[in-house]
Every structure is written in structure tokens, then in C-alpha cells.
Amino acid sequence: MRFVVSLLICSCIAFAGFSQNPAPIPLNKHFFEIFPADSMQQKYYQFLSYGSDSTQIERIFTLQNQLVRTVRKGKKTAEFQELTLEEYDLQGQLTHRKIVNLFNSKFISTYYDKGEQVAQLIYRGEHKYSIYRKGYDKPRERLENDFEPYPKDEKARFPFLLSQKTRIEKSKWPEERQLIVVGVLVDESGEVKSVEWANPLGADPEIAKIFVKAVSSWKKGYIPAKDAQENPLQKWRYFYFHAGGKFAHGPIEVSFRK
């Protein structure tokens, strides 16, 4: 199987010599930090460390001490900052590697099955995706990332709906910029099973409710995610918003999803 190699993203990261914070950070099922006292919501824990070149390294484990995710964030420059996400199954096998240039949100995702590369996705910006799965004779161009669920929306009504549903009165606009992440669980048939505020430490709960309610109001359904074999599967989709500070005209959706 031939995979596309892109020069959009450099993968040169040094790991020699790092200092580690010995205290584990509790995470919920969405891989976001929670209060230590909120043990009922804890599904994972994270160790944070730094390389000698200031690379930030996150290692995430299940409560049974199984490594399921690593995230490495490189040093930021004027036009480049690399983030590498790796995901593992409970047997320790690499299933997914994603390399992102956080400066422009372009990325490459590679999917594995028992050590073999079985699919690859390249995001070139402006809703331009090249998708290659085992069995394809060439990459297929798409306007959506079909490895994730996405709104069933031919007329771009979803962004318009959010802009209308997330208007916040000037008197209630937060002074500090806040990040709100809303997760939508979409099953194999495209049905929404749950809509949740995913990052409970990221914003004021009353502000977060506005965004959860806005995403919940979408009633036209979703296209379910597909795996590397193009089988539909149940999966979370995350929408990232900012509110507060100088952004007084509504939310901003960012391109990179955890």
C-alpha cells in the first residue's frame, strides 16, 4: 500500500532529558482535566513532562495503568508549532498518529491495524481533505473528514444556527476569554446519543450551557464516522468555541480537535 508523504509538517522532535511533574492530573472520558475531588468523572490520568528543548509531553493512562495516548507539543516559532498525537489500544498497539502544524491547523493522520498502515488523511486547509484507505487506487478528495461524524448539512446551516443560538448579551459577555468544548456522541446510524460540555474547567458553567444548548438544537442529523475499512462506527465529535475578551461578536470554532 502506497501512502502519501507531505512536507507540510516537520516531525523532528528531540526527547533527550526531560523533567516530569510527578503528580498525575485527573482527566474525564473526553481527555480534559477535572477537579481532583471529582473522582466519579475520572476515566484517565495524565503525566506532564518537558524535554530539554521545551517540548511538552503528555502521557495518558487508564485507571488500570494502560497507556492510551501521548501528545507532544513542540516549541512555537513565528510560523510553525508541531503537535503529535498518538493513540493506542488496550494491548499497547498504535492505532492512530496525527501530526498537526498548530500555526495553520494542517495535519496528517495515519491509521494502523496490528502494526500495518491501513489509512491516511491529509488536511490541506479550507475544508480540503485527501483520504487514502487500503484498497483505494488513489487518494479521494473530500470536503469533510469522514473519520469523524459531521453535521448532515448541504446548505451550511449548521454554522449559521450556532451563530444565532450563541448570541450573548453584552452585560453577560465574559471579561476573560473562555474555551468551551462541546462533545456530540453520534452512533453508527447518525443518531445523536449525547451532547455534553467536555472541558469542565474551561469556562463559566452558565456560559457553557449556552453552547451546549446551541449544538443540541441541531435537528438535521449527522453523517456517522467511518473506520479505516469504511465501516460506520459510534464516535464523539468535538466543537471548540471561544467566548469572552475582545471577541464580542460570538463564538469562534477552531480547526484542531483533540
Side-chain angles (χ1 to χ4, degrees), residues 196-207:
E196 302 178 6
W197 180 24
N199 65 326
L201 303 188
D204 181 282
E206 293 304 313
I207 297 296

Side-chain angles (χ1 to χ4, degrees), residues 38-50:
D38 192 9
S39 59
M40 293 295 293
Q41 300 301 319
Q42 184 177 357
K43 298 297 180 184
Y44 304 99
Y45 65 91
Q46 172 197 90
F47 281 106
L48 181 63
S49 59
Y50 293 88

Side-chain angles (χ1 to χ4, degrees), residues 39-40 62 105 126 135 164 241:
S39 59
M40 293 295 293
T62 68
S105 296
E126 299 179 348
Q164 296 299 304
F241 305 97

Side-chain angles (χ1 to χ4, degrees), residues 87-105:
E87 297 177 306
Y88 303 86
D89 63 22
L90 296 182
Q91 286 70 49
Q93 294 288 319
L94 177 66
T95 59
H96 175 218
R97 177 183 289 120
K98 183 175 186 176
I99 305 175
V100 185
N101 180 357
L102 294 176
F103 181 79
N104 56 22
S105 296

Side-chain angles (χ1 to χ4, degrees), residues 110-122:
T110 306
Y111 297 85
Y112 301 86
D113 182 25
K114 298 178 181 178
E116 179 187 3
Q117 296 181 0
V118 292
Q120 190 172 69
L121 178 147
I122 296 178

Side-chain angles (χ1 to χ4, degrees), residues 168-175 242-251:
I168 301 174
E169 297 177 15
K170 187 176 181 179
S171 61
K172 296 182 180 180
W173 188 257
E175 293 184 4
H242 285 105
K246 66 179 180 179
F247 295 98
H249 300 293

Side-chain angles (χ1 to χ4, degrees), residues 3-4 53 57 59 84 97 119 121 124 140 143 153 156 163 167 214 226:
F3 284 81
V4 181
D53 62 348
I57 307 170
R59 294 179 174 86
T84 301
R97 177 183 289 120
L121 178 147
R124 306 191 307 278
R140 298 181 182 178
L143 296 177
D153 185 9
S163 68
R167 295 183 181 275
K226 295 180 181 178

